[in-house]
Amino acid sequence: MGAFSRQNGQPHGIQCQLGAGRVPCRNVSHEALPPDPFAGDPVDPAASLPDHDDEPQQPISDAEREELVEDLADLAVYQALLAPRGVRGIVVDCADCAEPHYHDWALLRASLEQLLADGRMRPHEPAYDPDPREYVTWEYCRGFADGVTATENAT
């Protein structure tokens, strides 16, 4: 998602600053995640993959933590503005695979909360047969929210 980069002092990628205030964050427990369908299976197809829990994690910096909290606040604003208009979530162009990734509002919120709590996001299943017309970019969300704010301030 292009985490934590800034260009010209402005948020870039998933970061945005709208001034919407703070939204309380909650940590997503491992129990809240879907169960592993291959747990205990002796022929688990993922058994040969490295266990990411064994990799040492560097804690996120205070600046990164602050940006994640801002992102969660922005996400709440974007969802409040766009979900009633039929937008299901955000699409992100993945730099690793060059494919669009579709994130429903709840999935993106959970992923950001997990990054905030654990310093990384766990892999998740991609959206099943997403309709690209129902997802918008982070930049579209920011522009839409800025437009709503400007309209409200003009009246």
Side-chain angles (χ1 to χ4, degrees), residues 88-150:
R88 293 192 57 195
I90 293 179
V91 60
V92 177
D93 290 324
C94 179
D96 294 333
C97 71
E99 294 286 329
H101 290 226
Y102 298 92
H103 300 271
D104 286 345
W105 300 114
L107 174 63
L108 184 54
R109 182 179 313 97
S111 294
L112 291 174
E113 289 171 346
Q114 187 172 42
L115 183 57
L116 186 63
D118 299 341
R120 68 170 178 208
M121 287 188 255
R122 294 195 180 276
H124 57 81
E125 289 293 322
Y128 176 74
D129 196 27
D131 182 348
R133 296 172 296 182
E134 295 176 337
Y135 295 83
V136 295
T137 65
W138 192 266
E139 290 78 16
Y140 178 91
C141 292
R142 182 181 327 147
F144 190 89
D146 288 347
V148 168
T149 301

